[in-house]
Each structure stands twice: as C-alpha cells, then as structure tokens.
Amino acid sequence: MIKVAMIRLMAARLAGEDIEPQGPIETEAARRLDDELNPK
C-alpha cells in the first residue's frame, strides 16, 4: 500500500502539483519518499 501511495505522490510531483498526503499511509509514503530524495 505504501508503494502505491508513493506512486501517486511521485506522479503528482512530476506533474508539478503540490498535494498533501491523505491519511496515514500516504503520510508515511511521503516521509519515506522525502528520506530517499534527501538523504541525511
């Protein structure tokens, strides 16, 4: 489920949309995606 949510978030970012995660699964997917794109 997290991978599906990541796909939705990445597709929105590629389209130039700034969307807010909806629900706990998308929130976790957004956190993981940010961690992957911006390593510490």
Side-chain angles (χ1 to χ4, degrees):
M1 291 181 87
I2 288 180
K3 287 184 181 183
V4 173
M6 277 186 177
I7 291 169
R8 179 181 174 277
L9 294 170
M10 287 189 306
R13 288 181 184 184
L14 284 172
E17 298 175 13
D18 188 24
I19 62 170
E20 289 294 322
Q22 299 174 355
I25 293 173
E26 281 193 5
T27 301
E28 177 64 16
R31 185 193 62 77
R32 290 184 186 192
L33 187 58
D34 286 338
D35 286 348
E36 288 180 19
L37 294 176
N38 303 312
K40 295 178 183 176

